[in-house]
Amino acid sequence: MSDLLYSEIENDLRAGLRGLLDDKCPWPDVLAGTERDEPYDAKLWRAVAAELGCAGLPVPEEQGGAGATWRETAVTMEELGRAVAPVPFLGSAVLATAALMAAGERDLLTELATGEKIAVLAVPFTTAPGVAMRDGARAADGRLTGAVTSVADGLAADVLLVPAQDGLYAVDAADVSRTAVTSLDMTRRLCDIALADVPARQIAAGEVATRAVRTALLTGAALLASEQLGLAERCLETTVDYLKTRFQFGRPVGSYQGLKHRLADLWTSITQARAVARYAADCVAAGDPDAEIAVAVAQAHCSALAVKAAEECVQMHGGIGFTWEHPAHLYLKRAKSISLAFGTPDRHRAALAALLDLPPA
């Protein structure tokens, strides 16, 4: 049976990354970034991806990576979620990296692992694992034509990994038309992509390409649960700290029983979320056949929990929680946005029922 406790290496990784994010990614800077046109924080990305080496955590050492696993990557996702960090880690270091590893592509994978390039899997952000892919692009004579909507981190990409009817293709992002979409979460922006007979290199065909895309989506959904966990923990910590210092009628607001019960319920749910998120990450790291079930459970629980934690954070902060001068709205927007990513909780519950052969209600 797997040990889901954090290892010494994972705790050291967390400490180093949290220190970096506290220094380079305070929430006022994150808020200011939402009002600029830059799709991500390039300096922060270099620090996380290249200097700390987080972009290459699951990549073998001989290909420029750290030779770790998706478990360590999940710890990184927890911390990035906690900071609402505006970096394309999910798109490049998780989705694209998982697709390239499954496809057996080496050269581009090395460039991603070292932080030299950013790649993104060009699928709608709401695409759920196991869902039959609609052909967003058509291939002919080494060129692609078509469109893909609502691609997360697409504006930050140097390379796009585009699924087509006969395989998975790598496309230079400079050759495509990218249109920014008005995104609820401005720390992870979406864009629509138009491919007008652009040159493309096939990196996988047939069943290998299909498996690569499915693996990427499953891995992305698994590790997104860790991001949701980190965000929920930050919301709880922020709220508890505030309720200890906010006084009303001569006593700390946190001393009121009704608020204590709500915080206790949230703490319990977060503890459960840590268990299911860690198990999902461990399953994809080990190639466990239970991975699909583990991911469905994790997303069904963690998606809803992150939204609830953010809502409680806003409400329990009272008037200040509803203002632009407090980070609660950043947590709420990220939580709500990623509750739709890779399928809604209802979709994952339906997928879980199908996996377990449960009859419909």
Side-chain angles (χ1 to χ4, degrees):
M1 185 174 180
S2 299
D3 182 2
L4 300 184
L5 297 177
Y6 296 104
S7 68
E8 182 178 350
I9 292 175
E10 289 169 340
N11 285 328
D12 288 344
L13 172 63
R14 181 191 305 282
L17 183 54
R18 183 172 296 187
L20 183 147
L21 292 172
D22 287 344
D23 179 48
K24 298 183 179 296
C25 188
W27 77 262
D29 289 355
V30 176
L31 179 59
T34 64
E35 299 182 339
R36 295 194 292 265
D37 291 334
E38 291 86 352
Y40 70 107
D41 187 330
K43 291 182 179 179
L44 179 62
W45 172 248
R46 283 194 296 273
V48 171
E51 294 173 20
L52 278 185
C54 292
L57 282 172
V59 179
E61 291 182 20
E62 60 269 21
Q63 292 175 247
T69 72
W70 291 115
R71 280 181 55 130
E72 289 79 14
T73 311
V75 172
T76 303
M77 288 288 287
E78 286 183 36
E79 292 304 307
L80 295 176
R82 185 178 184 275
V84 201
V87 291
F89 191 87
L90 176 62
S92 187
V94 179
L95 283 175
T97 296
L100 293 173
M101 290 174 67
E105 165 66 28
R106 299 177 64 88
D107 293 339
L108 181 54
L109 182 61
T110 298
E111 292 179 307
L112 299 194
T114 58
E116 183 179 344
K117 285 188 177 180
I118 297 171
V120 168
L121 183 64
V123 297
F125 198 32
T126 55
T127 306
V131 172
M133 289 292 299
R134 297 178 180 175
D135 293 331
R138 301 179 303 279
D141 300 324
R143 306 183 77 84
L144 290 181
T145 300
V148 187
T149 60
S150 301
V151 177
D153 296 327
L155 293 171
D158 301 304
V159 178
L160 298 170
L161 304 181
V162 185
Q165 79 278 9
D166 64 341
L168 182 64
Y169 289 81
V171 176
D172 190 329
D175 293 332
V176 308
S177 173
R178 292 177 285 183
T179 304
V181 174
T182 301
S183 309
L184 174 63
D185 175 18
M186 293 299 288
T187 64
R188 177 179 285 139
R189 306 188 189 197
L190 308 179
C191 73
D192 292 340
I193 295 172
L195 305 109
D197 194 35
V198 298
R201 177 172 66 90
Q202 188 179 66
I203 60 175
E207 182 56 34
V208 175
T210 300
R211 183 174 67 249
V213 175
R214 288 177 177 172
T215 299
L217 291 172
L218 188 68
T219 304
L223 270 63
L224 186 67
S226 292
E227 178 180 306
Q228 291 161 333
L229 167 63
L231 186 149
E233 286 183 314
R234 182 62 176 270
C235 288
L236 178 61
E237 291 170 9
T238 301
T239 305
V240 169
D241 289 344
Y242 177 76
L243 294 183
K244 286 179 179 179
T245 59
R246 176 76 168 96
F247 278 73
Q248 193 170 39
F249 304 114
R251 57 188 288 192
V253 174
S255 67
Y256 289 96
Q257 192 174 47
L259 297 184
K260 287 182 179 180
H261 287 172
R262 288 166 64 178
L263 291 172
D265 288 343
L266 189 56
W267 181 88
T268 301
S269 296
I270 289 174
T271 302
Q272 295 167 339
R274 183 177 295 107
V276 296
R278 290 289 290 168
Y279 183 60
D282 186 74
C283 282
V284 296
D288 195 303
D290 200 31
E292 290 186 59
I293 293 175
V295 170
V297 171
Q299 274 302 306
H301 180 74
C302 295
S303 285
L305 168 66
V307 174
K308 179 181 179 182
E311 289 174 343
E312 292 286 62
C313 181
V314 170
Q315 293 178 14
M316 291 195 200
H317 274 81
I320 190 65
F322 288 83
T323 68
W324 198 246
E325 288 73 27
H326 192 275
H329 64 93
L330 293 173
Y331 307 143
L332 181 59
K333 290 171 183 175
R334 171 65 71 90
K336 189 60 181 177
S337 173
I338 57 180
S339 71
L340 305 177
F342 308 123
T344 63
D346 283 345
R347 180 182 285 275
H348 286 286
R349 282 189 285 268
L352 181 61
L355 289 167
L356 297 177
D357 295 322
L358 295 178

